[in-house]
Amino acid sequence: METGTATRFSTQAVPLRHRVAFWKDAICAAFVRLDLDCDRARPFSSELAIRRTARFDLIDVGGSPQEVRRSARMIRADNADSLIIMLQRQGSGAARQGDLDMALAPNGLTILDSRRPYVLRFSTPFRQTVVKVPLLALAERLGPPESWVGSTPRSGSALARLAAAAIDEVACEPRDGVAQQLATVALDLLALALLDSRGAAPVGPGMAALRVRWARAEVHERLRDPLLTPATIAARQGVSLRLLQRLFAAEGSSLSDFICEQRLLRCRRDLQDPLHSGRTVTDIALSWGFNESSQFSRAFRRRFGCTPSDARRACGFA
């Protein structure tokens, strides 16, 4: 049932003999496809509340002892491409993904990849807050998912505690707009906590690299927004535009050039896609955040050495 902005599922009103089947259907519909097992000799109970926003899904889930599995067959069935960040609130358990075994301890943070099989085991009643976000959300901050999925921030570290507290605030915040801002902060803190746990970089350079990755992630998320500029990205980070420009310059690039490049690549892709052959060049340019068709045409020609119309004709489109 719907309550405010959250959808809630509970086994409380379901007859005992139907609860496991009901719960499998509920979590598959609300989260990702999962299978479940439990001690059939003991009464089973669980509840879940999920709130969806433009950037993430926020799930509060708990219940009696159980084992949850995501198999290769289920991955093929729903093809989810998400990062699953779990904050253990009550009880304890264990997670396994690939060759990694992870303890689910109270107030601990664990990261899983929905594209790969995993198993969660809860031997006692439990409760979790789960943030489900696109893989890109953390990949742009830390690099390829394979290098950090399954990682656990260093237990008891200040950054891990701050990340957990930020996720807790996201869960408590009823306003989606504010919750999205808090979620961005939580992901940044989580990324820093993971860097810190590996000793990957000192805080100064780590923060600099993180700000660049954060900016790139923001570009990918808001590329269609014509109001997206280096200034708006700096404002969202709470830093000066000059600082952000300096961080990009240190990597031999420019944030404004990065925004333009990503828009041009998306436009060229659509111009050469038969599915978009009925759209005008101007429509495609405006859909990817360019404000003027003439500005787009000049930038396109500088980048690819031909006009947008030429690029389209080269693919056999009129």
Side-chain angles (χ1 to χ4, degrees), residues 12 15 21 29 48 52 73 109 121 160 286 312:
Q12 185 175 1
L48 176 149
R52 304 186 191 278
R73 176 178 59 83
L109 287 164
R121 296 184 179 90
L286 294 179
R312 171 168 272 180

Side-chain angles (χ1 to χ4, degrees), residues 6-7 9 23 27 30-32 47-52 56-62 83-87 89 127-133 167 170-171:
T7 302
F9 299 88
W23 192 243
I27 57 177
F31 188 37
V32 293
E47 58 183 10
L48 176 149
I50 181 167
R51 188 168 107 227
R52 304 186 191 278
F56 62 88
D57 290 344
L58 186 67
I59 301 106
D60 187 271
V61 59
L83 177 75
I84 299 168
I85 303 166
M86 300 183 296
L87 169 61
R89 292 182 174 274
R127 183 174 165 233
Q128 290 181 322
T129 292
V130 181
V131 185
K132 178 186 169 190
V133 297
I167 291 173
V170 174

